[in-house]
Amino acid sequence: MSYRKRTCTCGELREGDIGKNVTLTGWVDTRRDLGGVVFIDVRDRYGKTQVVFNPQTNEQVHKLAGELRSEYVISVSGKVERRPDGTENANLPTGQIDVMADDVTILNRADTPPFPIEDDVDVNEETRLQYRYLDLRRSPMQQNLITRHKMYLITRKYFDELNFVEVETPVLMKSTPEGARDYLVPSRVHRGKFYALPQSPQTYKQILMVAGMDRYFQIVKCFRDEDLRADRQPEFTQIDVEMSFVEEEDVRKVVEGLIVRFFKEIKGVEIPTPFPRLTYKEAVETYGSDKPDTRFGLEFTNINELIKDSGFKVFSEVVKKDGVVAGFVAPDCGNFTRNQLDVLTDFAKSLGAGGLVWMRVTDAGVETPSEKFLGKETVNAIQRRMQAKTGDLILLISDSWSKAYTILGGLRLEMARRLNLIDESKNDLLWVTDFPMFEFNEQEKRYVAMHHPFTSPNGEDASLLDTGPLKARARAYDLVLNGNEIAGGSIRIHDRALQSKVFNLLGINNEQAKKKFGFMLDAFRYGAPPHGGIAFGFDRICMLLTGEKSIRDVIAFPKTTSAISLMDDSPSEVDPAQLKELHIKIV
Amino acid sequence: MSYRKRTCTCGELREGDIGKNVTLTGWVDTRRDLGGVVFIDVRDRYGKTQVVFNPQTNEQVHKLAGELRSEYVISVSGKVERRPDGTENANLPTGQIDVMADDVTILNRADTPPFPIEDDVDVNEETRLQYRYLDLRRSPMQQNLITRHKMYLITRKYFDELNFVEVETPVLMKSTPEGARDYLVPSRVHRGKFYALPQSPQTYKQILMVAGMDRYFQIVKCFRDEDLRADRQPEFTQIDVEMSFVEEEDVRKVVEGLIVRFFKEIKGVEIPTPFPRLTYKEAVETYGSDKPDTRFGLEFTNINELIKDSGFKVFSEVVKKDGVVAGFVAPDCGNFTRNQLDVLTDFAKSLGAGGLVWMRVTDAGVETPSEKFLGKETVNAIQRRMQAKTGDLILLISDSWSKAYTILGGLRLEMARRLNLIDESKNDLLWVTDFPMFEFNEQEKRYVAMHHPFTSPNGEDASLLDTGPLKARARAYDLVLNGNEIAGGSIRIHDRALQSKVFNLLGINNEQAKKKFGFMLDAFRYGAPPHGGIAFGFDRICMLLTGEKSIRDVIAFPKTTSAISLMDDSPSEVDPAQLKELHIKIV
């Protein structure tokens, strides 16, 4: 098919172009017929331009305009003219001009789309995903992909300036499941053997440090076969970074520089550095989370000292068992009704609380059902310690350290939402540091790595690996943006003996360690430098910078929460001959 | 471990730094002990610096130097001094200075490596791959990875400047094997169903065009489960490009711009544009290949006209059956002995030739055993037609069109090698165009797509799809560099009916087409623009630009030709519990 190729895009014609003869190619966006003159907005990725089909300009072409329907693909030519007075469209960059059509070719016809190609569409996400080629025609989705593209460029330019080298690591690698499940790929050539898709290029980037690459980064796809939560995808994109001869400060400085650029170049916002920091302990004890949203207060106060000797057994027993009584002040909620407080109590219970102690601070003093157990004096002391003012509401939880703070953390977020305390214009960045090395997994009755098995313990805590592993802190750090973890990293172990010891603590015996990670332990024999790094969740950062609510809106072809691609219906059944070649059978 | 962090790299100290106190971190490269003074080259990615341990500078530090061995990782500090007259090393950028050590910390020790970390190592590739972390410490390998990194940046900057958007397409996709085998990934959540790894993002990039993205590119991993040849990898990297509203010229212009930049920025070489072009037919009939090496001549001459009526039945029968008698002149080979000619004949037979006709052009005229069949007159006519001079050798093959030229192509390359005709300094780029749409696969007794099923036929050949599909030419183009195919692309079909027809010709019936490619056919209902694109073999271009002989030398962690990673021993056996979760069993 021969047609006139565009001389400009649908987004670029301005007053200065008046008088020019141009050709546009694109999609028919809207079509109006006004007294025999047809007005069509032609749309492409760059914008929209109004084209006028006037029988007085060209009768034959005007007739052809009658055939045009939404989403037809056309090539249209004509002269650029100033729009008649009063018909300019100030909302459209091309709104000062019309193109007076004197030639048009239909390049392709279109059925009526299942939903209109508009910025806001009232259609369920399943339909959008099934017809992704139409969903991606919508301008907000195109802008998301373009922003994502810009973020790739910003990232790569930034790391290149700092002498980092982007290295591609294998997608077909060894299966070493630790934490999440691997996606496996059966080998045809080696019967009974499998590759795994990388959960992260962790081992490769450390190998690159041993190889002397010094500063590595990669924007890379990673894979986890998890039961998906709302904002997870089976495949996701990570900015992966590793550096040699560094300590925490060096890594954090590099990371802060990138985040500053993202905000500046994508949103035009200046972010001050260095970012604030909290230890894991501080974060949990102040906000009830290791990824606290610091855009609002509702900070916790521990009142163990005030109530440990009180007659209220529920409280004093908890303190005796190394537990915690703590809470926060909900400002101006002293007027909550009993009913509202019951709802709040139920919410706390849904988070696992045994109960919720509340205290309303009124003109007449503190009102609380707990007064009969605590006594007026203790109640007043709590009010003073928590700096609750008249009209405020105090909420208290008593439980083990981790449970009490986790419940309070959930309650804090809920209250912030109800009270509309979250300032959406804020961009609060925060480092959380000094994570524990290990957690104890009750189900598997063993220690599991809080970060991953390659994380170095704090130097001063090294001896705790022998005496009290759960107390050992790691040289790990997470970066949090408005309550979302957007990056996590650590200084790694580079000593073979220490790495073996940590494997052993994690229940990986020497034989298993050799089988799974023998190549790393071998590499550590030949001069491994001190090194550390970090990995960013690219999809999530992109979601936060574009202001979207779902990572699926910043991924061109995402999968559903049940890991299905609705557009092309994958995963799907395959030819039995394919399975035969792979030496596998479905059971 | 606490240690002094570097103040500079091992590659940057110059005369202007004399007098400064510096700290270097890196690997012990070489160590010499000269009259009690120890000289150590410290190495990192950026270079080498000579450090001098003199007992007169610091006795304790000098003693520690005695412990240092090759590949130990150290931090070393001292003052920069001018090297004594006559000891400068002009081959080393830091060769004007020494660092006089007054502090050293051993950051890690090293076993003796299995091969020395030197630019040229005499060790087999298996050992290099097993100890890849040591192999990658060698400067040529590091430079290859850095060049590769630069190529990523050049590519991305170039396409960004031209308004292309990089979009990540899924790695877990639908299995639609056409041509090569898919790697499959069993789904845990959907029993009996599988994802496939992309052989290329072909369908996605076309969908992006339907989605109006207009100009797409991606540097992307692709996967083919093939029986590997020497320069193939199960996973390889591709520069993938697609454009809307374009014809061949538009795509080629974009491609040429990128290639010009690669040569200019990586090798400092100017490549003239536009690149030369040959049709598929011309390439085969002149060079015996659809990816001809044009750095040397040995072009073919068809002599059908001269011999079709000759009494030599071997020749005339071939012509009658639409075959070809053709050959080329090997300059200055008229003195080849009968023995040499026998070896050449055997080589031609190994390529599938029935025989090889040779003619030596001597002072006494043309000598050939075929004279008794052809007659002196025809022999002389052949010499004239082929412009063979005294001292030259004429080589002729007679067979079917495709066999004759394929054999001649192999013979031509072999003669070029023997005669050392290939000028390695040349960078010959060439477009090959007008490929046939289809080949006939004798085994499967069906047409297969020469490029892929989405390639558009030449407009003027559309009717041949009904009357003679093998004669139909495609709107396909390959880019060839020095006899290597480095990119291949086409203008695509954007019409649903034409796409269905091509599927049918390829033996994909409507039901199968719907199952495999239904989403694409559906997408074509809703306004698909005319579009086309190309894909570059990134690894191969990188290999050619770095002057390496194997793509494995420009890939950080390659696999062997039997698809094994020798470093980490993958593929490997997995835990039976993993297979159980995936509902599969090894047979």
Side-chain angles (χ1 to χ4, degrees):
Chain A
M1 181 195 317
S2 104
Y3 62 94
R4 288 211 211 166
K5 281 195 263 180
R6 67 180 167 207
T7 58
C8 57
T9 71
C10 295
E12 66 184 85
L13 292 175
R14 300 287 183 275
E15 277 188 286
D17 300 301
I18 287 168
K20 287 185 188 163
N21 282 298
V22 299
T23 299
L24 303 172
T25 53
W27 285 261
V28 174
D29 191 65
T30 53
R31 179 179 178 286
R32 281 163 304 140
D33 203 327
L34 293 180
V37 180
V38 178
F39 295 83
I40 282 177
D41 277 354
V42 185
R43 187 191 66 233
D44 65 13
R45 192 185 102 199
Y46 311 92
K48 293 178 190 175
T49 301
Q50 181 165 277
V51 179
V52 180
F53 295 80
N54 192 324
Q56 289 176 349
T57 312
N58 186 321
E59 210 180 320
Q60 247 191 321
V61 168
H62 173 262
K63 207 173 273 173
L64 255 172
E67 286 187 34
L68 301 182
R69 296 288 175 272
S70 283
E71 302 311 316
Y72 273 35
V73 188
I74 61 172
S75 166
V76 61
S77 305
K79 190 179 253 185
V80 182
E81 290 195 359
R82 182 183 302 282
R83 288 203 190 180
D85 274 356
T87 67
E88 302 90 345
N89 182 348
N91 296 324
L92 207 64
T94 63
Q96 299 301 308
I97 58 92
D98 283 328
V99 172
M100 309 308 288
D102 59 21
D103 189 23
V104 65
T105 308
I106 295 176
L107 303 179
N108 218 339
R109 288 162 200 275
D111 288 1
T112 304
F115 52 85
I117 311 304
E118 291 170 355
D119 288 4
D120 294 302
V121 286
D122 182 22
V123 60
N124 65 42
E125 197 184 6
E126 283 66 33
T127 307
R128 287 176 49 207
L129 290 174
Q130 186 186 345
Y131 297 95
R132 194 62 164 178
Y133 37 88
L134 296 176
D135 192 35
L136 291 178
R137 246 182 234 171
R138 299 188 308 112
S139 178
M141 294 301 286
Q142 299 202 330
Q143 293 312 313
N144 286 350
L145 293 186
I146 290 168
T147 298
R148 195 175 165 115
H149 163 71
K150 283 185 189 150
M151 286 176 58
Y152 298 142
L153 286 178
I154 292 166
T155 304
R156 287 177 162 125
K157 185 160 175 286
Y158 177 77
F159 282 111
D160 179 63
E161 284 169 14
L162 295 177
N163 261 325
F164 283 77
V165 179
E166 183 158 19
V167 179
E168 283 181 89
T169 52
V171 174
L172 295 171
M173 62 174 280
K174 190 186 180 81
S175 178
T176 55
E178 260 302 300
R181 276 183 217 92
D182 280 334
Y183 277 107
L184 294 183
V185 182
S187 164
R188 175 179 57 85
V189 184
H190 305 280
R191 167 204 290 259
K193 296 193 172 181
F194 294 81
Y195 303 98
L197 305 184
Q199 296 188 29
S200 102
Q202 183 64 34
T203 51
Y204 289 113
K205 68 177 175 175
Q206 293 193 240
I207 289 285
L208 285 171
M209 294 305 105
V210 179
M213 285 309 292
D214 198 67
R215 303 188 136 203
Y216 145 92
F217 84 104
Q218 188 184 188
I219 301 182
V220 61
K221 275 276 178 73
C222 300
F223 306 84
R224 277 181 207 169
D225 185 7
E226 295 177 304
D227 294 312
L228 297 181
R229 283 174 276 159
D231 74 336
R232 294 288 177 96
Q233 286 280 309
E235 60 182 287
F236 55 97
T237 303
Q238 185 164 300
I239 307 176
D240 199 43
V241 178
E242 200 76 6
M243 303 163 72
S244 289
F245 305 112
V246 292
E247 292 177 314
E248 290 86 334
E249 272 313 297
D250 305 285
V251 180
R252 285 201 285 253
K253 212 171 149 194
V254 165
V255 169
E256 292 186 357
L258 177 62
I259 297 292
V260 164
R261 283 220 190 159
F262 276 153
F263 273 93
K264 171 127 197 191
E265 298 190 21
I266 301 291
K267 300 188 74 164
V269 170
E270 297 281 354
I271 302 285
T273 59
F275 302 161
R277 282 177 212 172
L278 290 175
T279 64
Y280 171 82
K281 188 162 179 286
E282 288 165 344
V284 171
E285 294 186 349
T286 313
Y287 300 105
S289 170
D290 60 358
K291 47 180 184 192
D293 191 337
T294 50
R295 287 175 296 176
F296 59 94
L298 307 187
E299 297 175 3
F300 307 157
T301 304
N302 178 312
I303 57 162
N304 278 19
E305 275 306 311
L306 294 180
I307 50 77
K308 66 176 181 194
D309 301 319
S310 76
F312 191 15
K313 281 226 164 154
V314 177
F315 279 8
S316 55
E317 286 293 319
V318 159
V319 174
K320 252 182 231 156
K321 287 184 194 152
D322 289 332
V324 163
V325 182
F328 63 92
V329 174
D332 303 323
C333 297
N335 58 352
F336 267 36
T337 63
R338 282 304 279 259
N339 193 23
Q340 284 177 298
L341 291 165
D342 286 347
V343 171
L344 222 50
T345 303
D346 287 344
F347 179 78
K349 285 181 177 167
S350 78
L351 298 174
L356 175 67
V357 170
W358 54 261
M359 302 182 175
R360 288 193 289 221
V361 188
T362 69
D363 289 331
V366 182
E367 281 178 23
T368 173
S370 308
E371 190 181 317
K372 55 180 175 286
F373 308 113
L374 288 166
K376 196 166 192 71
E377 200 176 316
T378 303
V379 167
N380 287 338
I382 291 171
Q383 182 209 347
R384 282 193 304 275
R385 171 68 64 88
M386 297 187 77
Q387 302 185 321
K389 298 182 310 291
T390 302
D392 287 351
L393 174 70
I394 294 171
L395 298 172
L396 293 170
I397 293 285
S398 63
D399 213 316
S400 67
W401 184 89
S402 102
K403 244 180 116 183
Y405 284 121
T406 304
I407 293 163
L408 279 172
L411 206 52
R412 174 178 176 268
L413 285 177
E414 178 65 16
M415 288 307 289
R417 273 189 288 265
R418 289 193 188 195
L419 302 176
N420 208 15
L421 296 179
I422 302 174
D423 178 353
E424 296 285 350
S425 74
K426 273 195 176 178
N427 300 296
D428 267 17
L429 286 143
L430 172 75
W431 286 107
V432 179
T433 66
D434 294 271
F435 281 82
M437 280 288 282
F438 306 104
E439 297 172 290
F440 193 76
N441 184 314
E442 291 290 348
Q443 276 183 310
E444 300 182 31
K445 297 282 174 219
R446 66 176 187 105
Y447 297 120
V448 292
M450 189 120 174
H451 189 57
H452 58 51
F454 311 106
T455 299
S456 176
N458 272 5
E460 55 204 275
D461 294 358
S463 63
L464 288 172
L465 295 187
D466 298 316
T467 57
L470 285 177
K471 286 188 205 132
R473 288 163 303 166
R475 297 180 70 179
Y477 33 82
D478 276 3
L479 183 60
V480 179
L481 170 58
N482 298 340
N484 298 277
E485 183 201 325
I486 57 171
S490 63
I491 300 300
R492 326 296 184 186
I493 297 167
H494 66 282
D495 178 78
R496 188 181 146 86
L498 180 57
Q499 184 65 71
S500 290
K501 180 185 244 177
V502 169
F503 281 150
N504 286 345
L505 275 166
L506 293 169
I508 306 172
N509 65 33
N510 287 348
E511 195 195 338
Q512 290 166 324
K514 195 179 162 194
K515 209 170 155 190
K516 283 183 176 179
F517 301 110
F519 65 101
M520 269 192 86
L521 293 172
D522 282 349
F524 282 4
R525 283 186 199 276
Y526 294 104
H531 61 286
I534 198 161
F536 296 70
F538 192 90
D539 306 301
R540 200 173 298 171
I541 299 177
C542 187
M543 175 188 85
L544 294 169
L545 284 172
T546 54
E548 291 290 352
K549 296 284 175 222
S550 161
I551 58 167
R552 291 186 296 278
D553 284 341
V554 296
I555 296 172
F557 302 103
K559 295 193 173 59
T560 64
T561 46
S562 52
I564 290 173
S565 169
L566 292 174
M567 183 178 79
D568 56 2
D569 186 31
S570 72
S572 57
E573 280 160 19
V574 297
D575 192 323
Q578 288 176 274
L579 299 186
K580 201 175 163 197
E581 278 198 308
L582 297 175
H583 323 288
I584 61 170
K585 194 169 114 175
I586 299 163
V587 282
Chain B
M1 179 193 320
S2 104
Y3 61 94
R4 289 210 209 166
K5 281 194 265 180
R6 68 182 168 207
T7 58
C8 58
T9 71
C10 296
E12 66 184 85
L13 292 175
R14 299 287 184 275
E15 277 189 285
D17 300 301
I18 287 168
K20 287 186 188 162
N21 281 298
V22 300
T23 299
L24 304 172
T25 53
W27 285 261
V28 173
D29 191 66
T30 53
R31 180 179 178 284
R32 281 164 304 141
D33 202 327
L34 292 181
V37 179
V38 178
F39 295 83
I40 282 177
D41 276 354
V42 184
R43 186 191 65 232
D44 66 11
R45 192 186 102 199
Y46 310 92
K48 294 179 190 176
T49 301
Q50 181 165 279
V51 178
V52 181
F53 294 81
N54 192 326
Q56 289 176 350
T57 312
N58 186 320
E59 209 179 321
Q60 246 191 321
V61 168
H62 173 261
K63 206 172 275 174
L64 255 173
E67 286 186 34
L68 301 181
R69 297 286 174 275
S70 283
E71 302 311 316
Y72 273 34
V73 188
I74 61 173
S75 166
V76 60
S77 304
K79 191 179 252 185
V80 182
E81 290 195 357
R82 183 184 302 280
R83 288 203 190 180
D85 273 357
T87 66
E88 301 91 344
N89 182 348
N91 296 325
L92 207 63
T94 63
Q96 298 302 308
I97 59 93
D98 282 328
V99 171
M100 309 308 289
D102 60 21
D103 189 23
V104 67
T105 308
I106 296 176
L107 303 180
N108 218 339
R109 288 161 199 276
D111 289 0
T112 304
F115 52 85
I117 311 304
E118 292 170 354
D119 288 5
D120 294 304
V121 287
D122 182 20
V123 60
N124 64 42
E125 197 184 6
E126 282 66 34
T127 306
R128 287 175 51 206
L129 289 174
Q130 185 186 345
Y131 297 95
R132 193 63 164 178
Y133 37 88
L134 297 176
D135 192 34
L136 290 179
R137 246 181 235 170
R138 300 188 307 111
S139 176
M141 294 300 286
Q142 299 202 332
Q143 293 314 312
N144 285 351
L145 293 186
I146 290 168
T147 298
R148 193 174 166 116
H149 163 72
K150 281 186 190 150
M151 286 175 60
Y152 297 142
L153 287 178
I154 292 166
T155 305
R156 288 177 162 124
K157 184 160 174 289
Y158 177 76
F159 283 111
D160 179 62
E161 284 169 12
L162 295 177
N163 262 325
F164 283 77
V165 179
E166 183 159 18
V167 179
E168 284 181 88
T169 52
V171 174
L172 295 172
M173 63 175 279
K174 190 187 181 79
S175 178
T176 56
E178 259 302 301
R181 276 184 216 92
D182 279 335
Y183 277 105
L184 294 184
V185 181
S187 164
R188 175 180 57 86
V189 185
H190 306 280
R191 168 205 291 259
K193 295 192 171 182
F194 294 81
Y195 304 98
L197 305 184
Q199 295 188 28
S200 101
Q202 183 65 34
T203 52
Y204 289 113
K205 68 177 175 175
Q206 292 192 241
I207 288 286
L208 284 170
M209 294 304 105
V210 179
M213 286 310 292
D214 198 68
R215 302 188 137 203
Y216 145 93
F217 84 105
Q218 188 184 189
I219 300 182
V220 61
K221 276 275 178 75
C222 301
F223 306 84
R224 277 181 207 167
D225 185 8
E226 294 177 305
D227 295 313
L228 297 181
R229 281 174 277 159
D231 73 337
R232 294 288 177 96
Q233 286 280 309
E235 59 182 289
F236 55 97
T237 303
Q238 187 164 299
I239 306 176
D240 199 43
V241 178
E242 199 76 7
M243 303 165 72
S244 289
F245 305 111
V246 292
E247 292 178 312
E248 289 87 333
E249 272 312 297
D250 305 284
V251 179
R252 285 200 286 252
K253 211 172 149 191
V254 165
V255 169
E256 293 186 357
L258 177 63
I259 297 293
V260 164
R261 282 219 192 159
F262 276 154
F263 272 93
K264 171 128 198 190
E265 298 190 21
I266 302 291
K267 300 188 73 165
V269 170
E270 297 281 353
I271 302 284
T273 58
F275 301 162
R277 281 176 214 174
L278 291 174
T279 64
Y280 172 82
K281 188 162 179 286
E282 288 166 343
V284 171
E285 294 186 349
T286 314
Y287 300 106
S289 171
D290 59 0
K291 46 179 185 193
D293 192 337
T294 51
R295 289 175 297 176
F296 60 94
L298 308 186
E299 298 175 5
F300 305 157
T301 305
N302 178 311
I303 57 162
N304 279 17
E305 276 306 310
L306 295 180
I307 50 78
K308 66 177 179 189
D309 301 320
S310 76
F312 191 17
K313 281 226 164 152
V314 177
F315 279 9
S316 56
E317 287 292 318
V318 159
V319 175
K320 250 181 233 157
K321 288 183 195 153
D322 289 331
V324 163
V325 182
F328 62 92
V329 175
D332 303 323
C333 297
N335 57 353
F336 266 35
T337 62
R338 281 304 278 259
N339 193 25
Q340 281 176 300
L341 291 165
D342 286 347
V343 170
L344 221 49
T345 304
D346 285 345
F347 179 79
K349 285 181 178 168
S350 79
L351 298 174
L356 175 68
V357 170
W358 54 260
M359 302 181 173
R360 288 193 289 222
V361 188
T362 69
D363 289 329
V366 182
E367 283 177 22
T368 173
S370 308
E371 190 181 318
K372 56 181 172 283
F373 309 112
L374 288 166
K376 194 163 194 72
E377 201 176 316
T378 304
V379 167
N380 287 337
I382 291 172
Q383 182 209 347
R384 282 195 304 275
R385 171 68 65 86
M386 299 187 75
Q387 302 185 322
K389 298 181 311 292
T390 302
D392 288 349
L393 175 71
I394 294 171
L395 298 171
L396 293 170
I397 293 285
S398 63
D399 214 315
S400 66
W401 184 88
S402 102
K403 243 181 117 181
Y405 284 121
T406 305
I407 293 163
L408 279 171
L411 206 54
R412 173 179 178 266
L413 284 178
E414 177 66 16
M415 288 307 288
R417 273 189 289 265
R418 290 195 187 194
L419 303 176
N420 208 15
L421 296 180
I422 302 174
D423 178 352
E424 296 285 351
S425 74
K426 272 195 178 180
N427 300 296
D428 265 18
L429 286 143
L430 171 75
W431 286 108
V432 179
T433 65
D434 294 273
F435 282 81
M437 281 287 283
F438 307 105
E439 297 172 290
F440 193 75
N441 185 312
E442 290 290 348
Q443 275 183 312
E444 299 181 33
K445 297 282 173 219
R446 67 177 187 104
Y447 297 120
V448 293
M450 190 120 173
H451 189 57
H452 58 51
F454 312 106
T455 299
S456 176
N458 272 4
E460 54 204 276
D461 294 359
S463 64
L464 289 172
L465 295 187
D466 298 316
T467 57
L470 286 177
K471 287 189 203 130
R473 288 163 303 165
R475 297 180 70 179
Y477 32 82
D478 276 3
L479 183 60
V480 178
L481 169 58
N482 297 341
N484 298 277
E485 183 200 326
I486 57 171
S490 64
I491 301 299
R492 326 297 184 185
I493 297 167
H494 65 282
D495 178 78
R496 188 181 147 85
L498 181 56
Q499 185 66 72
S500 290
K501 180 184 240 175
V502 169
F503 281 151
N504 287 344
L505 274 166
L506 292 169
I508 305 172
N509 65 33
N510 287 347
E511 194 195 338
Q512 290 166 324
K514 197 179 161 195
K515 209 171 154 189
K516 284 183 176 178
F517 301 110
F519 64 102
M520 269 193 87
L521 293 173
D522 281 349
F524 283 5
R525 281 186 199 278
Y526 295 103
H531 61 286
I534 198 161
F536 296 71
F538 192 90
D539 306 302
R540 201 174 297 172
I541 299 177
C542 187
M543 174 188 87
L544 294 169
L545 285 171
T546 55
E548 292 290 353
K549 295 284 175 222
S550 161
I551 57 167
R552 291 187 296 278
D553 285 341
V554 296
I555 296 174
F557 301 103
K559 296 193 172 58
T560 64
T561 46
S562 52
I564 290 174
S565 168
L566 292 174
M567 183 179 79
D568 58 2
D569 186 31
S570 74
S572 57
E573 281 159 19
V574 296
D575 191 324
Q578 288 176 274
L579 299 186
K580 200 174 165 198
E581 279 199 307
L582 297 175
H583 324 288
I584 60 169
K585 192 168 116 174
I586 299 164
V587 281

